[in-house]
Amino acid sequence: MSTVDKKLSIAALGGVNEIGKNMYVIQYGDDIVVVDCGSKFPDESLLGIDVIIPDIAYLLENHTKVRALVVTHGHEDHIGGIPYVLKQLNMPIYATRLTLGLIEGKLREHGLLAQARLNQIQSDSHIVLGTIRLSFFSTNHSIPDCLGIAFDTPEGTVVHTGDFKFDLTPVNEQYPDIHKMADLGKRGVLALLSESTNAERPGFTPSERLVGEHIAEAFNKATQKIFLSTFASNVHRLQQVIDAAEHTRRKIALLGRSMVNVVNVAAELGYLRIPDGMLIEPAEVNQYAPHEVAVLCTGSQGEPMAALSRLASSNHRQVEVLRGDTVIIAATPIPGNERNVARIVDNLYELGAKVIYGTGSVTGMHVSGHASQEELKLMLTLMKPKYFIPVHGEFRMLHQHRLLAESVGVSAGHTFIVKNGDVVDIQNQVAVQTRKIPTGITLVDGLGIGDVGNIVLRDRKVLSEDGILIIVITLSRAEGKIISGPDTISRGFVYVRESEGLIEEVNRMTVAAVEKLLADNVNQWNIYKQTIKESIGKFVFTHTKRRPMILPIIIQI
């Protein structure tokens, strides 16, 4: 983003044409403000990867211009990348009280809290970052303390909605600031960035309060233990579970690290009201009668190592699901997770549990935290933007959101459906999209950030599919002959005891290849290794139709 001619530039480093790892860049001249810093979980093709975060190469190249990171709310896809990014670029962070509490927990875990520059904001805050002035407005979502952001620049006002819906009867009485949204629209919005998750869903998203009514009904009907699995960050729903437990005089045990962390932070900051003595340790569950206990747990998306999965397979060390217990999955499976959730439901039924699961509209146990079509149109109508950039969604959602924008008056051609890295430049009130900035994904594996690339992933894929053959051979440098081996080790390829003939032939071919190279006075070990790989690889594929990784180890003494 050149600063020769000052202009307003808007780009996404994550969060468009995908769900997750949200990160947006608002720049005017030499001032850059970053919005959100999320992560997302890898799919099955990224073997061994823990999380995916945005590539911040552009921010590192322009680190002297980065003024701050402003966070809209505390979900993982908006804060999960912060510890990893702060290790590379330590910038001031602005967020609301609950969001900061969740961020602090992550930074403490990574040993970064002491050096972090954390600043608390609220809906009536005003921040000046260079030439950009920020103001905020309250929105509803499935976690408290969510904000939309208005960026006042010399070129005009840019609004980022954050994740939102219009819940007019919110559980926590944090109402959407519709008047402030309308006032922004009246003053003039040059460009609007609005989330698109539910752009394909007609109508309005129901209020979270409806879920509370169904939870209370299920608690009243249950005669034994209750297990309820939901997103740990859905503090509104956790409060309604606590209220139902209080009404039915049940104790609550928490299972799952994220559930414990969020409940502790939310309770400490006053976002959860938990009666004294209600929370018990998982080890204490069996000390109470079944009808006196409820268990709040993670794993509503079928994650293999989460609490619900371990309960369903009877592998939890402290708590078990017994015949007649009630299990409530208060979430709708994210696309791609349906099979994992179905497997857990099958296992729970085998244990004799009563299972309440399925889409929220069927069970009443879940409503989305995202705006449906009528609410998206309401936001567009309130803001009346000249230009529109749909974000936070896959392409079909962004496309549908563009159609909604045009239906409420945004001029055709004034909507930009961008990809991560695309830049929308606005100068003299005219917007164009003609260039890109570096972007991509950064893979986090253990303590390594970005050190796992395509070559490593390709090796992991080969190992996972066809295994590995390790061929160890020892040569005498003085005598120029084989003095030990070859010893062939198979892992994930064939079971050696049942394939002795194959392994013997591999050893014979290795000896023949090495002896020929020795006879030709070849001294480069890379040639030995490459020759063994090629000859053994062709032989193995001919006889097994498999392509294991072949790793020759040549020891010279």
Side-chain angles (χ1 to χ4, degrees):
M1 299 182 190
S2 172
T3 59
V4 175
D5 297 317
K6 286 195 175 181
K7 57 190 170 188
L8 173 63
S9 300
I10 304 167
L13 297 182
V16 293
N17 282 305
E18 64 178 348
I19 298 292
K21 71 176 185 66
N22 292 277
M23 178 179 276
Y24 308 93
V25 174
I26 310 295
Q27 178 170 356
Y28 184 83
D30 288 334
D31 299 312
I32 294 175
V33 180
V34 183
V35 182
D36 292 336
C37 181
S39 63
K40 73 175 184 178
F41 293 112
D43 59 31
E44 61 277 3
S45 68
L46 298 175
L47 299 164
I49 300 302
D50 297 324
V51 294
I52 304 169
I53 62 173
D55 180 353
I56 62 165
Y58 178 77
L59 299 180
L60 293 175
E61 289 171 10
N62 295 273
H63 65 276
T64 59
K65 303 174 185 176
V66 177
R67 303 291 167 246
L69 166 64
V70 185
V71 184
T72 59
H73 65 283
H75 277 153
E76 282 296 306
D77 57 337
H78 296 259
I79 68 171
I82 290 177
Y84 308 105
V85 167
L86 251 59
K87 291 175 183 177
Q88 306 170 72
L89 178 61
N90 190 4
M91 49 189 159
I93 298 175
Y94 292 84
T96 54
R97 189 160 170 255
L98 176 60
T99 306
L100 273 185
L102 297 172
I103 292 171
E104 284 177 0
K106 291 181 175 296
L107 297 180
R108 187 178 297 110
E109 185 179 323
H110 285 259
L112 299 172
L113 187 56
Q115 64 207 64
R117 292 172 284 169
L118 304 179
N119 304 276
Q120 184 175 314
I121 55 175
Q122 51 199 27
S123 61
D124 59 357
S125 297
H126 293 273
I127 307 170
V128 177
L129 299 171
T131 55
I132 305 175
R133 177 184 173 90
L134 281 67
S135 59
F136 307 90
F137 53 92
S138 296
T139 60
N140 302 120
H141 190 39
S142 51
I143 189 171
D145 273 12
C146 298
L147 294 178
I149 310 172
F151 303 84
D152 289 319
T153 76
E155 184 68 39
T157 298
V158 176
V159 173
H160 189 301
T161 65
D163 290 1
F164 76 95
K165 69 178 184 179
F166 286 101
D167 189 342
L168 303 183
T169 57
V171 173
N172 63 348
E173 298 186 353
Q174 287 186 355
Y175 296 94
D177 204 337
I178 298 175
H179 295 290
K180 194 175 287 187
M181 299 178 204
D183 186 57
L184 282 167
K186 187 178 297 183
R187 289 192 283 118
V189 173
L190 179 60
L192 173 67
L193 284 72
S194 182
E195 73 127 323
S196 311
T197 310
N198 279 352
E200 299 173 293
R201 187 176 296 179
F204 290 86
T205 301
S207 170
E208 177 67 29
R209 197 173 289 272
L210 296 176
V211 177
E213 297 171 4
H214 288 92
I215 289 174
E217 181 183 358
F219 269 63
N220 286 325
K221 289 181 178 178
T223 57
Q224 293 185 197
K225 291 197 300 294
I226 296 174
F227 295 83
L228 189 142
S229 180
T230 190
F231 294 109
S233 59
N234 197 333
V235 176
H236 308 314
R237 193 159 303 163
L238 302 186
Q239 183 63 66
Q240 295 187 115
V241 172
I242 291 165
D243 293 342
E246 182 181 23
H247 180 72
T248 55
R249 299 181 180 179
R250 290 177 182 263
K251 302 290 186 181
I252 289 182
L254 305 175
L255 298 183
R257 182 182 177 191
S258 61
M259 184 67 72
V260 172
N261 289 344
V262 171
V263 169
N264 287 342
V265 171
E268 182 180 334
L269 297 177
Y271 292 88
L272 276 179
R273 183 193 62 82
I274 306 175
D276 292 339
M278 173 175 278
L279 291 183
I280 61 173
E281 294 297 322
E284 299 177 82
V285 166
N286 293 328
Q287 299 174 16
Y288 292 85
H291 66 276
E292 295 178 331
V293 180
V295 177
L296 256 175
C297 63
T298 56
S300 61
Q301 295 304 309
E303 303 94 319
M305 297 307 295
L308 184 62
S309 180
R310 288 184 285 135
L311 288 167
S313 57
S314 299
N315 283 329
H316 199 280
R317 292 182 294 109
Q318 297 167 307
V319 186
E320 59 181 334
V321 177
L322 301 176
R323 183 169 298 279
D325 288 346
T326 299
V327 180
I328 302 168
I329 302 178
T332 298
I334 294 170
N337 293 342
E338 295 91 347
R339 289 179 60 187
N340 290 340
V341 174
R343 185 185 66 253
I344 287 175
V345 171
D346 284 344
N347 291 343
L348 290 169
Y349 273 125
E350 285 187 27
L351 294 174
K354 302 173 183 175
V355 189
I356 301 173
Y357 71 100
T359 60
S361 59
V362 174
T363 65
M365 292 296 180
H366 176 70
V367 296
S368 175
H370 300 275
S372 297
Q373 288 182 354
E374 297 305 312
E375 294 153 283
L376 295 175
K377 289 193 285 187
L378 176 57
M379 179 64 79
L380 285 156
T381 302
L382 290 169
M383 294 293 175
K384 296 193 283 288
K386 180 176 182 179
Y387 295 104
F388 177 53
I389 305 174
V391 295
H392 197 289
E394 295 168 359
F395 187 87
R396 65 185 186 280
M397 305 167 188
L398 307 179
H399 172 73
Q400 185 62 46
H401 205 172
R402 172 173 60 186
L403 298 180
L404 295 175
E406 292 177 357
S407 74
V408 295
V410 175
S411 301
H414 279 208
T415 296
F416 294 89
I417 296 184
V418 297
K419 297 179 180 178
N420 289 331
D422 289 347
V423 182
V424 176
D425 291 315
I426 306 178
Q427 194 169 29
N428 299 323
Q429 301 286 300
V430 177
V432 294
Q433 194 281 299
T434 58
R435 62 193 182 93
K436 296 176 70 70
I437 59 175
T439 189
I441 62 174
T442 300
L443 305 177
V444 178
D445 184 0
L447 297 177
I449 303 173
D451 59 347
V452 175
N454 290 333
I455 294 174
V456 173
L457 288 173
R458 187 181 64 206
D459 287 347
R460 290 181 179 181
K461 188 171 188 294
V462 171
L463 289 169
S464 71
E465 292 177 348
D466 292 320
I468 185 171
L469 269 181
I470 302 173
I471 304 171
V472 183
I473 189 166
T474 305
L475 306 181
S476 169
R477 179 185 301 174
E479 300 178 32
K481 67 177 183 179
I482 300 171
I483 60 174
S484 175
D487 295 317
T488 299
I489 303 166
S490 169
R491 291 292 182 270
F493 170 54
V494 293
Y495 185 47
V496 173
R497 290 185 182 178
E498 295 178 357
S499 306
E500 291 180 354
L502 180 70
I503 299 300
E504 287 175 3
E505 184 61 21
V506 167
N507 291 339
R508 188 196 67 75
M509 292 182 66
T510 302
V511 169
V514 170
E515 287 181 342
K516 184 177 187 307
L517 291 170
L518 289 171
D520 293 339
N521 293 318
V522 175
N523 294 318
Q524 294 94 340
W525 298 122
N526 61 320
I527 296 178
Y528 281 76
K529 292 179 179 181
Q530 191 61 38
T531 302
I532 294 171
K533 281 183 182 180
E534 290 178 358
S535 59
I536 301 303
K538 290 177 183 176
F539 168 75
V540 165
F541 182 75
T542 301
H543 287 78
T544 67
K545 298 302 181 205
R546 303 176 196 169
R547 298 186 189 275
M549 179 180 290
I550 298 171
L551 183 62
I553 299 176
I554 300 173
I555 303 171
Q556 186 184 37
I557 60 175

